[in-house]
Amino acid sequence: AQSVTQLGSHVSVSEGALVLLRCNYSSSVPPYLFWYVQYPNQGLQLLLKYTSAATLVKGINGFEAEFKKSETSFHLTKPSAHMSDAAEYFCAVSDGNNFNKFYFGSGTKLNVKP
Amino acid sequence: DAGVIQSPRHEVTEMGQEVTLRCKPISGHDYLFWYRQTMMRGLELLIYFNNNVPIDDSGMPEDRFSAKMPNASFSNLKIQPSEPRDSAVYFCASSLAPQFSYNEQFFGPGTRLTVL
């Protein structure tokens, strides 16, 4: 079965600093990988997705993620944090045997300090 | 497009009452998913439908939970009888067929359920 581990339930950075949110996955077959963002009292919004094309994936709001098969990782980065980036971020992997079934990580809450 | 629509946004009920959560997927989407989000368990897939047919309900916690999709534009999730441990945020999501979207799921705003 697939699983997703997000290291750090809370991450705090200063405005303008690098954002790094970690995601490791386990999958027996090449996966599809996703990062979603959830703002307070809202649903999840797709940031970016990896679908076996380029290993470096660019998403919305300046975020990007790199798929590293050897490390089974899909970490999310942004060079310079903005106050509006404060939210909860979820990594998800789809089941390689059933691409409709997603497994979500436990989420990382990003706090951006002025 | 209006996106995925869920109603109500908030529901407060008493233990033992029936609760019905509603979802309207994005027009043209073939798949509909119901998720539950809690602090303890995170986001869990409860059930999903393809072309109105339930495909996988292995995440439904127990027989008190049921979900239907009578047509392509509507689904409901019922809990009967409700219990305090059912308190959570319930999300509905929809997606196109995989060959068109790599399974990107579009989420509704959620229904926050509180069972007293």
Side-chain angles (χ1 to χ4, degrees):
Chain A
Q2 276 55 248
S3 68
V4 176
T5 302
Q6 290 183 242
L7 286 177
S9 58
H10 291 81
V11 169
S12 187
V13 301
S14 297
E15 192 172 21
L18 171 72
V19 176
L20 170 61
L21 305 181
R22 299 178 187 275
C23 172
N24 288 86
Y25 69 92
S26 70
S27 176
S28 57
V29 296
Y32 291 161
L33 291 156
F34 305 82
W35 275 99
Y36 281 84
V37 61
Q38 184 179 29
Y39 297 101
N41 300 315
Q42 294 186 28
L44 279 71
Q45 178 184 359
L46 183 70
L47 270 180
L48 50 80
K49 60 189 176 190
Y50 167 75
T51 58
S52 73
T55 56
L56 182 63
V57 182
K58 293 188 185 299
I60 62 172
N61 301 339
F63 284 93
E64 62 183 36
E66 187 171 8
F67 172 67
K68 291 187 176 180
K69 184 178 178 180
S70 61
E71 299 178 8
T72 60
S73 69
F74 190 57
H75 302 331
L76 182 71
T77 60
K78 182 174 180 177
S80 177
H82 192 272
M83 296 296 291
S84 61
D85 295 327
E88 190 161 17
Y89 293 80
F90 292 89
C91 182
V93 61
S94 63
D95 188 324
N97 296 311
N98 176 2
F99 287 114
N100 296 298
K101 205 162 181 176
F102 280 20
Y103 296 87
F104 283 86
S106 53
T108 298
K109 283 189 178 172
L110 176 66
N111 177 45
V112 181
K113 299 175 289 187
Chain B
D1 199 312
V4 176
I5 299 172
Q6 291 187 247
S7 64
R9 292 294 309 275
H10 302 272
E11 176 81 32
V12 180
T13 191
E14 293 189 346
M15 183 173 64
Q17 297 298 306
E18 177 178 294
V19 174
T20 299
L21 311 180
R22 297 175 178 80
C23 175
K24 177 178 168 54
I26 293 172
S27 177
H29 281 194
D30 303 307
Y31 290 83
L32 183 139
F33 307 81
W34 282 101
Y35 289 88
R36 178 171 67 176
Q37 185 180 38
T38 61
M39 290 291 290
M40 290 297 293
R41 299 174 68 88
L43 262 167
E44 304 172 278
L45 177 65
L46 300 177
I47 184 171
Y48 78 90
F49 296 82
N50 178 24
N51 292 325
N52 314 337
V53 176
I55 302 300
D56 186 338
D57 65 355
S58 59
M60 296 285 263
E62 46 197 280
D63 291 346
R64 298 184 297 106
F65 286 70
S66 64
K68 288 187 168 58
M69 192 166 185
N71 58 61
S73 59
F74 176 74
S75 175
N76 63 42
L77 177 69
K78 286 190 178 181
I79 309 173
Q80 166 63 20
S82 58
E83 297 183 4
R85 59 194 168 116
D86 302 330
S87 298
V89 181
Y90 290 82
F91 288 103
C92 178
S94 69
S95 71
L96 289 166
Q99 61 266 35
F100 300 118
S101 70
Y102 296 105
N103 306 95
E104 176 183 345
Q105 295 183 15
F106 294 80
F107 282 75
T111 295
R112 183 174 295 276
L113 173 65
T114 303
V115 183
L116 303 174

